[in-house]
Amino acid sequence: MRQNIVAGNWKMNLSFDEADNLIEELVEKLEENELAPNTRMIVCPPFPYLELCSDASVDSYFAVGAQNVNENDNGAYTGEVSATMLHSMELDYCIVGHSERRAYYGETDALIAKKVDQLQKYDITPIFCCGEVLEEREANRQFEVVKRQITDGLFHLDKEHITNIIIAYEPVWAIGTGKTATPDQAQEMHAFIRGLLAEKYGKEVADEISILYGGSCKPSNAKELFANPDVDGGLIGGASLKSEDFFQIAMSF
Ligand code: 13P
């Protein structure tokens, strides 16, 4: 059975002390309350706070992931972080292909595919992001765009490797804008993505893959979004920076 997942993408936010407070508050809440069965919480802080968060996660209340990775093993790549490093810290997850990396750092589908491979080589589960920008949605091209991102970013994987992927559908027009996709819009795209996976790998495999929604997800809309059959949780930006909001979202299953 596929997992319900609520992952927090802190992006480039918080001082060390703020990160420390946030993670402590989260641990306290998780010690006092249990998440629904088959529900996993993942926290993706900036690189400098990974150790802080993974130390706090020792009792497995939540898992920790990075926000990006370099496509090479190691070497002269100033400022970059490798999958071997993340692996040596025993991290289990890493976001790849976030729209902010596609837009501001020119990441292509081909580069993202290499990062996916690199992570899997070191047993780290990629949280693979896809989603259309506003102009594409307005031109009714969202399905074509997401199909290309999924095909070019993931479909080189074999059956065994595709099941070690989490997909996050994040319509770019909903990220940080307060404008959330409606539950119907989210379900429609998630079902489309699952259909693509089923066509390529078979229904059984497609049914095992968690597909998360991202874009202005908050406590007030999480329940309605997660209630859809193909929405298996969320990738949360802004609301993951407030322990109570993030926790409430995780309790929305
Ligand atoms: P917001 O929740 O702030 O809209 O961000 C979503 C996101 O980009 C998560 O990766």
Side-chain angles (χ1 to χ4, degrees), residues 131-148 189 192:
E132 79 285 359
V133 300
L134 184 62
E135 300 83 80
E136 291 162 342
R137 164 78 51 175
E138 283 174 348
N140 202 26
R141 290 184 50 225
Q142 65 271 25
F143 297 110
E144 172 200 328
V145 169
V146 168
K147 183 177 182 178
R148 190 209 72 227
M189 183 59 84
F192 173 75

Side-chain angles (χ1 to χ4, degrees), residues 3 18 30 45 61 74 93 127 141 152 165-166 193 249:
Q3 267 191 321
E18 287 165 343
L30 290 167
Y61 298 117
N74 275 307
Y93 299 95
I127 303 175
R141 290 184 50 225
D152 295 356
I165 290 277
I166 297 168
I193 293 170
I249 293 172

Side-chain angles (χ1 to χ4, degrees), residues 7-11 95 98-100 129 168 170 174-179 213-218 235-240:
N9 176 7
W10 291 5
K11 307 192 180 181
I95 296 170
H98 193 280
S99 61
E100 287 147 21
C129 303
E170 301 204 307
I175 295 178
T177 57
K179 214 196 265 179
Y213 166 79
S216 300
C217 185
K218 38 191 182 248
L235 181 55
I236 320 298
S240 73

Side-chain angles (χ1 to χ4, degrees), residues 94-107:
C94 181
I95 296 170
V96 278
H98 193 280
S99 61
E100 287 147 21
R101 297 221 50 96
R102 292 177 190 260
Y104 309 147
Y105 303 98
E107 291 199 6

Side-chain angles (χ1 to χ4, degrees), residues 25-249:
E25 287 169 16
L26 214 51
V27 167
E28 262 172 43
K29 289 178 196 298
L30 290 167
E31 275 170 350
E32 286 162 16
N33 305 273
E34 254 182 64
L35 298 179
N38 195 37
T39 301
R40 166 146 267 215
M41 181 186 273
I42 305 172
V43 171
C44 301
F47 290 129
Y49 310 151
L50 281 171
E51 193 177 1
L52 172 81
C53 293
S54 67
D55 284 351
S57 77
V58 279
D59 289 327
S60 293
Y61 298 117
F62 58 92
V64 179
Q67 296 175 17
N68 183 30
V69 70
N70 185 272
E71 67 278 18
N72 298 289
D73 261 345
N74 275 307
Y77 302 99
T78 301
E80 292 292 286
V81 170
S82 68
T84 59
M85 293 172 187
L86 302 179
H87 176 72
S88 71
M89 294 179 71
E90 298 178 7
L91 296 177
D92 295 318
Y93 299 95
C94 181
I95 296 170
V96 278
H98 193 280
S99 61
E100 287 147 21
R101 297 221 50 96
R102 292 177 190 260
Y104 309 147
Y105 303 98
E107 291 199 6
T108 60
D109 293 320
L111 176 67
I112 294 160
K114 280 191 196 160
K115 293 187 176 198
V116 164
D117 290 344
Q118 192 65 7
L119 288 169
Q120 292 206 332
K121 184 170 158 194
Y122 293 99
D123 294 326
I124 299 164
T125 302
I127 303 175
F128 175 92
C129 303
C130 58
E132 79 285 359
V133 300
L134 184 62
E135 300 83 80
E136 291 162 342
R137 164 78 51 175
E138 283 174 348
N140 202 26
R141 290 184 50 225
Q142 65 271 25
F143 297 110
E144 172 200 328
V145 169
V146 168
K147 183 177 182 178
R148 190 209 72 227
Q149 291 169 337
I150 298 263
T151 305
D152 295 356
L154 291 179
F155 278 5
H156 61 289
L157 299 175
D158 60 19
K159 260 192 189 186
E160 183 200 333
H161 287 88
I162 195 73
T163 51
N164 187 29
I165 290 277
I166 297 168
I167 295 176
Y169 167 59
E170 301 204 307
V172 181
W173 46 271
I175 295 178
T177 57
K179 214 196 265 179
T180 318
T182 64
D184 285 350
Q185 283 173 324
Q187 169 57 26
E188 185 184 33
M189 183 59 84
H190 285 223
F192 173 75
I193 293 170
R194 204 177 303 286
L196 293 175
L197 294 165
E199 237 172 71
K200 170 90 179 160
Y201 299 101
K203 186 173 180 317
E204 214 173 297
V205 169
D207 281 344
E208 268 181 57
I209 299 173
S210 298
I211 307 178
L212 316 183
Y213 166 79
S216 300
C217 185
K218 38 191 182 248
S220 58
N221 59 28
K223 232 187 184 97
E224 223 186 332
L225 285 161
F226 299 171
N228 289 285
D230 288 297
V231 180
D232 307 308
L235 181 55
I236 320 298
S240 73
L241 299 172
K242 293 186 195 126
S243 61
E244 183 58 22
D245 284 3
F246 188 51
F247 178 69
Q248 287 307 331
I249 293 172

